[in-house]
Amino acid sequence: MSFFGYSKSHQEYFVKNGQKVVYGYKRYIVTSTDNDQWVYFLKKGLIRVSYTLLDGKERLIGYFVPGVTFAKSGTFFDSPDGTLEYTTGEESVLYRLPRDKFLSELKNNEELSSDYMNMVLRNQIFLIDRVVYQGENGIHRKLLRWLLFMAKYYGSINNGSAEIIFFLSQEEIANFLHVTRVSVNNTL
């Protein structure tokens, strides 16, 4: 089971009340310039979460896995800087609802609300752990801390070993660590 869990209550609600959308590989779901106020439930697939620096370089934050509900940055609060972008890491099946409909249901449905708060708290823990591995001194320590991070959030534990549940290139690892691909290759 994933650290993020799989919300059955959200699946039931989104499948019953939402619009099903299928995205192919490497398709944008949300960009920083979108004005739509959708809330999404990921039924199947993998969603890549990133942001773009002022110099145009992309930085990978992480991935949404099946069972997670998410929305564009600023959907639930005023944000002049909606810079997060979501793209598919593989073909993905999502259900979406307008923000207002989702918020209304959160007010009236205790189970749905509780599951959503649990997801929000898990995302906060994820972001804190991300800061921790980014703060490590030296590429070796950073890479080791990152591997533990990946095992915790995206690992499948079998017989005392962890396997990351999706493929990562050296370029993606370098992006996570904010170093060059050559540095990752040498360190590995």
Side-chain angles (χ1 to χ4, degrees):
M1 182 173 160
S2 163
F3 171 87
F4 299 103
Y6 191 103
S7 176
K8 296 288 187 190
S9 70
H10 283 221
Q11 176 182 314
E12 291 170 9
Y13 177 70
F14 276 80
V15 169
K16 181 179 177 185
N17 298 289
Q19 174 187 20
K20 181 179 179 179
V21 185
V22 178
Y23 291 91
Y25 176 58
K26 288 193 175 182
R27 299 291 181 206
Y28 279 99
I29 296 170
V30 173
T31 66
S32 59
T33 59
D34 287 344
N35 292 321
D36 294 333
Q37 299 293 308
W38 294 105
V39 179
Y40 297 89
F41 175 81
L42 179 58
K43 171 79 170 128
K44 176 181 174 260
L46 190 67
I47 307 299
R48 190 174 194 271
V49 182
S50 62
Y51 64 95
T52 303
L53 300 171
L54 294 176
D55 65 4
K57 291 182 182 174
E58 179 199 54
R59 290 293 183 240
L60 184 57
I61 294 175
Y63 293 89
F64 293 134
V65 295
V68 171
T69 298
F70 65 94
K72 176 185 174 186
S73 293
T75 297
F76 298 115
F77 53 88
D78 289 332
S79 172
D81 188 29
T83 58
L84 291 182
E85 295 187 337
Y86 307 143
T87 52
T88 56
E90 59 188 47
E91 183 176 276
S92 300
V93 177
L94 297 101
Y95 287 85
R96 67 184 188 183
L97 291 163
R99 173 192 68 183
D100 295 339
K101 186 171 184 174
F102 181 72
L103 289 175
S104 175
E105 188 64 21
L106 285 181
K107 287 180 186 175
N108 300 316
N109 184 325
E110 189 175 316
E111 181 182 12
L112 198 77
S113 181
S114 175
D115 282 351
Y116 187 70
M117 288 307 298
N118 191 311
M119 277 187 232
V120 169
L121 292 172
R122 287 175 186 266
N123 282 335
Q124 293 306 307
I125 293 167
F126 171 90
L127 291 173
I128 291 167
D129 279 352
R130 186 175 183 279
V131 169
V132 169
Y133 83 71
Q134 287 294 340
E136 287 290 346
N137 289 325
I139 183 72
H140 290 90
R141 290 179 59 92
K142 188 182 277 194
L143 181 62
L144 288 173
R145 179 72 72 166
W146 176 79
L147 286 168
L148 293 171
F149 170 88
M150 292 301 287
K152 177 178 179 179
Y153 294 100
Y154 304 112
S156 172
I157 309 297
N158 293 314
N159 298 324
S161 66
E163 181 179 335
I164 297 172
I165 59 175
F166 48 85
F167 174 79
L168 288 166
S169 68
Q170 287 184 8
E171 190 69 38
E172 288 172 303
I173 296 169
N175 193 323
F176 262 114
L177 299 175
H178 301 192
V179 298
T180 66
R181 187 194 56 74
V182 172
S183 296
V184 167
N185 183 288
N186 290 339
T187 305
L188 288 173

